[in-house]
Structure formats: structure tokens, C-alpha cells
Amino acid sequence: MTRRGMGAGGARWCLALALLPLLPGGLGKPTARQERARQHEDRPGFQYDHEAFLGKEEARSFDQLSPEESRERLGKIVDRIDDNKDGFLTTEELKNWIKRVQKRYIYENVAKVWKDYDLNKDDKIAWEEYRQATYGYYLENPEEFQDATDQHSFKKMLPRDERRFKTADLDGDLAATREEFTAFLHPEEFEHMKNIVVLETLEDIDKNEDGFVDQDEYIADMFANEEGGPEPDWVITEREQFADFRDINKDGKMDKEEIQHWILPQDYDHALAEARHLVYESDVDKDQKLTKEEVLDNWNMFVGSQATNYGEDLTRNHDEL
């Protein structure tokens, strides 16, 4: 049976399949692991900056804009970021903007999918509601899933989702409030979900299932040497990073504590790091702040053709930003 033309049940299955990769990060702040992966992916040079500055969905929606339209809308965004209206963007203002964008799209994402799971409209999502909406078609029609990869994905993700759901469900009533469901979808944002982020990262990378991440597994998470040639320089550098910084106790592998230190470092603020990067790359006169002209002169880093669809957005109430 193909994935097309399956009616309502098939639609539920497609939705379920689309939601399978509920990996740490979601639309929230990226973990250090995700930032590292993005640095090495074959993507447009400023894509990561665009997504951090604007939000992933908005960055993607601006693909069709001309350079002139992008610059015009970027100018309007700059005016909103400049909180004290002094004509400059500081690192602090950029950091606060990135954090607000991140928070806003997390909660908008939850609001967007809420109705798909709150089947009885009681403003809570019970585990059984989520399970039925996401996995119900598979559980009722297992014979239709002949593909071994699909079967493995469902069998792996169902207990994994249940474990994550129960961790997010702080009062233990198996019904998630909006805040609890936000923790379920975006665990990297919540202190009590950190162990889940670490555990899921370990399960994703630990291919030999020994409970640790060795150097080869660490590299394989971002680079597949399919052609069997020499490794590029950046992979060699990542191996050195693993040996020098990731493997803290020097036993040749990362345990859960070391994985947490890697993907959720306590002393790392990704919004601040991105803000500093944007200022450094655009601050022509090196006064540690940006004029609108400096931003627009380097518009390709901020938005390029991947800006955000703020045409609609700027007509909305931005009090929450």
C-alpha cells in the first residue's frame, strides 16, 4: 500500500509518521549537538543565522522574496528589535529578540497542533488521545505496514513517546496541560526534561547499544563516509574535539553525564552566542553595536532570500515580542 490515497486513516498515519522525529530540539532552542550538525550540513551559508534570527518557519517562508523585499522587511524588523529606539542594535537587544522569537514559535507550534490531539476538547491532552491520534491507525492496521523501517520506527517511537509524555506529566494524571504538552514537544526548554533529552540523544547515537557514545558513533551522527575516502579536515577536527573536550574522563567514550555536558552545557547561551556572531560579522566600525545601515548592508546574513514572512506578521500585535 502506498502512502498516498489512504483516506482518513492514512492521513492519521501520515501525521504520525511526520511526528515520529520528535527529537530533542523541535522548534525550540537547539542543543549543542544540533548546532554542531547544522554547521556541517550542506546548506546555504547563512541558513543557521536566518533560522536563529527569524524562526525556522518564517525563514523558510521567505524563499520567494526578492532582495529588495527582504531588505525592506528587515528594516522593519530592525526597528522592532531596537528596544530603546536609539538607532542601534546591541548584542543584548539581539539576544533578547532571538529568545523572544524562539519562545514565541514554541508556543505557536503547540497551539497549532493542540486541536489535533485534544480530541474531547477538555483543554487537556490525555496520553490515550495522543496515542490514538499518532499511532492509532498503525495499532489497528499493523498488516498494512510491511516496510520493516516503518515498523521499526513505530515500535521504537511509541514507548519512547510514552516515556517522554509521562516525564512531562508532572502531576501524573496522564493528561497534559498546555505547559506539560509544551514540555513534551520541546523538552530542551524544561529543566525537569533534561534527562530525557540526554537519554534520547544517547539512544539515537549509540548504535552498538552499550550505553555509551564512542568516537566513531559521535562522528557517524554527522558524517557518513559512504565513498570510503579520506575524512575531511572538519571531521578530523571533530575527532580532536571528542578526545580533548567531550570525553572528559578519557575512557574513550561518553557516558550520560558527559553527553549532558556536551548537548546541554550550563555555561552556554545559544541566543547570546548567535547575537555576538551577528554583531561581529556586521559591525563595520567595530563599536560593538549595529546601525540599521550595517544590518542592511549585510542583509544576506540576517535574512537573504530566507527572511521571514513579516508582511503578515508586522500587522499583528507584537506585544508578546
Side-chain angles (χ1 to χ4, degrees):
M1 187 172 193
T2 67
R3 296 184 183 183
R4 297 182 179 179
M6 293 188 294
R12 287 198 302 271
W13 175 70
C14 288
L15 172 64
L17 196 62
L19 290 168
L20 284 180
L22 287 173
L23 301 178
L27 294 177
K29 66 187 176 188
T31 64
R33 173 192 171 204
Q34 291 169 314
E35 291 193 352
R36 178 202 65 163
R38 285 173 170 174
Q39 290 169 2
H40 301 307
E41 287 176 350
D42 183 19
R43 304 171 78 177
F46 297 132
Q47 183 66 22
Y48 177 71
D49 298 308
H50 301 162
E51 293 180 1
F53 183 67
L54 303 163
K56 182 177 290 188
E57 292 185 18
E58 284 65 25
R60 193 163 49 233
S61 71
F62 237 42
D63 286 348
Q64 305 306 315
L65 285 184
S66 68
E68 292 75 18
E69 290 173 315
S70 292
R71 286 171 57 89
E72 179 183 355
R73 293 186 184 181
L74 176 58
K76 295 177 181 179
I77 295 170
V78 169
D79 292 338
R80 293 194 175 276
I81 299 173
D82 181 15
D83 288 332
N84 62 6
K85 307 305 178 187
D86 66 350
F88 297 95
L89 300 189
T90 64
T91 299
E92 185 71 12
E93 286 173 325
L94 280 167
K95 180 195 76 172
N96 291 339
W97 170 264
I98 291 169
K99 285 182 177 291
R100 289 194 295 265
V101 166
Q102 165 197 312
K103 182 177 181 179
R104 174 186 163 200
Y105 286 104
I106 287 172
Y107 285 97
E108 284 195 352
N109 170 248
V110 172
K112 186 183 300 184
V113 302
W114 183 266
K115 64 181 181 299
D116 295 326
Y117 299 113
D118 183 16
L119 303 180
N120 65 3
K121 310 305 178 187
D122 65 348
D123 207 33
K124 284 189 174 184
I125 295 175
W127 164 247
E128 282 303 318
E129 288 179 305
Y130 177 83
R131 178 178 177 272
Q132 180 60 33
T134 305
Y135 299 101
Y137 189 79
Y138 166 72
L139 294 172
E140 294 168 6
N141 304 276
E143 70 282 355
E144 294 187 14
F145 296 81
Q146 301 302 319
D147 186 279
T149 301
D150 289 342
Q151 288 183 0
H152 176 75
S153 294
F154 278 101
K155 288 178 180 178
K156 176 183 177 182
M157 291 305 297
L158 177 54
R160 180 160 153 160
D161 273 358
E162 183 173 11
R163 180 183 65 194
R164 186 194 281 198
F165 191 98
K166 289 180 177 178
T167 304
D169 178 28
L170 289 177
D171 60 11
D173 65 351
L174 291 180
T177 63
R178 285 183 183 266
E179 190 72 5
E180 289 171 334
F181 197 65
T182 302
F184 170 68
L185 291 183
H186 301 278
E188 75 290 340
E189 298 290 331
F190 294 82
E191 185 68 27
H192 68 283
M193 300 294 290
K194 281 187 175 181
N195 288 341
I196 284 291
V197 176
V198 171
L199 182 57
E200 291 181 2
T201 301
L202 173 62
E203 291 172 345
D204 289 339
I205 305 177
D206 178 24
K207 300 307 181 185
N208 65 9
E209 299 182 349
D210 67 348
F212 299 92
V213 172
D214 61 36
Q215 188 179 108
D216 288 336
E217 290 170 330
Y218 173 82
I219 295 299
D221 182 49
M222 58 178 162
F223 175 71
N225 195 356
E226 297 173 351
E227 298 179 0
E231 292 181 338
D233 290 343
W234 67 264
V235 173
I236 296 172
T237 299
E238 283 290 348
R239 289 191 181 278
E240 294 170 353
Q241 289 282 317
F242 182 93
D244 294 341
F245 302 108
R246 309 296 182 221
D247 180 18
I248 297 172
N249 63 8
K250 307 306 177 187
D251 65 351
K253 54 193 176 184
M254 286 194 292
D255 57 25
K256 290 180 182 178
E257 184 176 343
E258 289 167 321
I259 291 171
Q260 178 165 334
H261 188 268
W262 163 41
I263 65 171
L264 298 170
Q266 292 184 346
D267 57 350
Y268 182 75
D269 183 331
H270 98 277
L272 178 59
E274 177 64 17
R276 286 173 173 169
H277 166 66
L278 291 171
V279 171
Y280 177 82
E281 294 293 340
S282 307
D283 183 19
V284 175
D285 59 12
K286 303 305 177 185
D287 63 353
Q288 306 300 310
K289 52 189 177 183
L290 302 180
T291 63
K292 180 183 283 190
E293 289 70 26
E294 286 175 321
V295 173
L296 294 181
D297 285 346
N298 200 21
W299 68 276
N300 207 36
M301 168 165 282
F302 288 86
V303 295
S305 62
Q306 303 277 338
T308 182
N309 194 0
Y310 271 73
E312 170 193 354
D313 213 45
L314 287 170
T315 66
R316 297 166 55 180
N317 185 338
H318 278 260
D319 290 342
E320 75 275 18
L321 292 180

